[in-house]
Amino acid sequence: MYSSWLDIITRYRRTRLGLIWIIIPTAVFVAAIGQVYSTVMGHDPEFYLPYLAIGFVLFRFMTQCLSESGSILRSHKPFIMDGRVRMTDYVLRSIAKAFFFFVCAFVVIAAAVAWSPQTSVVNLLTVLATFPLIMLNSFWLSSCMSMVGARHADSSEMVTTVMRFGMLLTPILWVGDRFPPGTFGWWAVHLNPAYHLITLVRNPILGEPVPSASIWFVAVMTVLGWLLAAVVYRRYARFVPLWI
């Protein structure tokens, strides 16, 4: 975690605003897009801005974890070739870096929730219980993705492209309960893992109940995902020095 923190400090060392640059783009996006889209889609800004802020910051965390994991082993080739072969250390390093960005951007979520009279600041504490589940799922996804990225260099770009489209297809800019049950749109939303992970964190902050389907989806995905990551790591980790 310390090395990830040093990377972030080094990146913003020569700027005048320093780490505030992590907050500014998120704050501008939520404020500008939130005002425009709440008007276009007919939502109350006091509901929509916290809804958008939470969904956007969480999805950006997942995007950072997955995008960097595709190239994380290649970028640490000298260390791996030197004999340090515990690949999970590098995956944890990328997740720690994304976590620091999330902590800084959480200021935007807190501001949006505090600004809206429809939400309670106390509900922000629920993130301490729900966000670790996103980190657990990000770890097994990043571990698998790091192996794929070590074998196929194009996978990092592919993940970045998929996540860009994924943000548009996930209920972040729009509210997911607009589709009637059983329709194509309803299935597209409820088969999207990002939707269930974000719902698990977002709904308690907004003071809304978490659907039981999301709880079961995340629970099953977490268990199966960790089993998959264990199998992939055990089977392919020894080939990484040859691939990179």
Side-chain angles (χ1 to χ4, degrees):
M1 292 187 69
Y2 183 66
S3 62
S4 300
W5 179 245
L6 285 180
D7 283 347
I8 296 173
I9 292 179
T10 304
R11 177 178 174 181
Y12 295 99
R13 177 179 293 170
R14 293 183 179 277
T15 62
R16 289 185 177 276
L17 298 180
L19 296 179
I20 297 176
W21 277 116
I22 299 176
I23 303 172
I24 290 177
T26 306
V28 171
F29 179 87
V30 171
I33 299 297
Q35 290 293 338
V36 172
Y37 274 60
S38 62
T39 302
V40 171
M41 293 189 286
H43 294 301
D44 185 352
E46 294 176 350
F47 158 79
Y48 186 74
L49 260 67
Y51 179 91
L52 173 64
I54 300 166
F56 176 70
V57 172
L58 291 175
F59 194 85
R60 194 180 70 163
F61 170 80
M62 290 185 280
T63 300
Q64 286 178 324
C65 290
L66 289 179
S67 298
E68 189 161 343
S69 64
S71 59
I72 191 70
L73 296 182
R74 290 182 180 277
S75 62
H76 289 85
K77 178 180 178 179
F79 298 99
I80 294 173
M81 300 305 290
D82 197 36
R84 190 177 181 185
V85 294
R86 198 166 70 176
M87 312 302 171
T88 51
D89 286 353
Y90 309 115
V91 176
L92 287 171
R93 188 173 185 273
S94 68
I95 292 178
K97 189 175 179 181
F99 177 72
F100 286 129
F101 277 97
F102 170 79
V103 171
C104 294
F106 192 76
V107 175
V108 179
I109 295 178
V113 170
W115 169 79
S116 172
Q118 296 185 6
T119 54
S120 170
V121 177
V122 178
N123 291 344
L124 286 172
L125 296 176
T126 60
V127 76
L128 298 175
T130 54
F131 185 72
L133 290 170
I134 290 187
M135 294 192 71
L136 285 173
N137 282 280
S138 297
F139 179 77
W140 75 259
L141 273 168
S142 298
S143 297
C144 294
M145 200 60 234
S146 66
M147 294 294 165
V148 176
R151 183 67 179 87
H152 303 284
D154 293 337
S155 60
S156 181
E157 296 299 327
M158 182 189 69
V159 169
T160 301
T161 303
V162 169
M163 294 304 284
R164 285 175 182 166
F165 282 106
M167 181 176 170
L168 298 176
L169 298 175
T170 304
I172 297 172
L173 295 170
W174 45 280
V175 180
D177 60 0
R178 295 298 180 92
F179 297 103
T183 61
F184 175 79
W186 187 88
W187 281 109
V189 169
H190 287 77
L191 292 177
N192 183 348
Y195 161 73
H196 294 288
L197 288 170
I198 291 174
T199 298
L200 200 67
V201 178
R202 181 167 55 190
N203 280 27
I205 296 177
L206 297 177
E208 300 175 357
V210 179
S212 57
S214 294
I215 296 174
W216 279 106
F217 192 101
V218 172
V220 172
M221 182 173 67
T222 303
V223 173
L224 295 181
W226 273 78
L227 290 175
L228 174 65
V231 171
V232 169
Y233 185 86
R234 186 181 180 86
R235 175 71 177 81
Y236 296 107
R238 62 180 181 273
F239 297 118
V240 170
L242 299 175
W243 290 341
I244 60 177

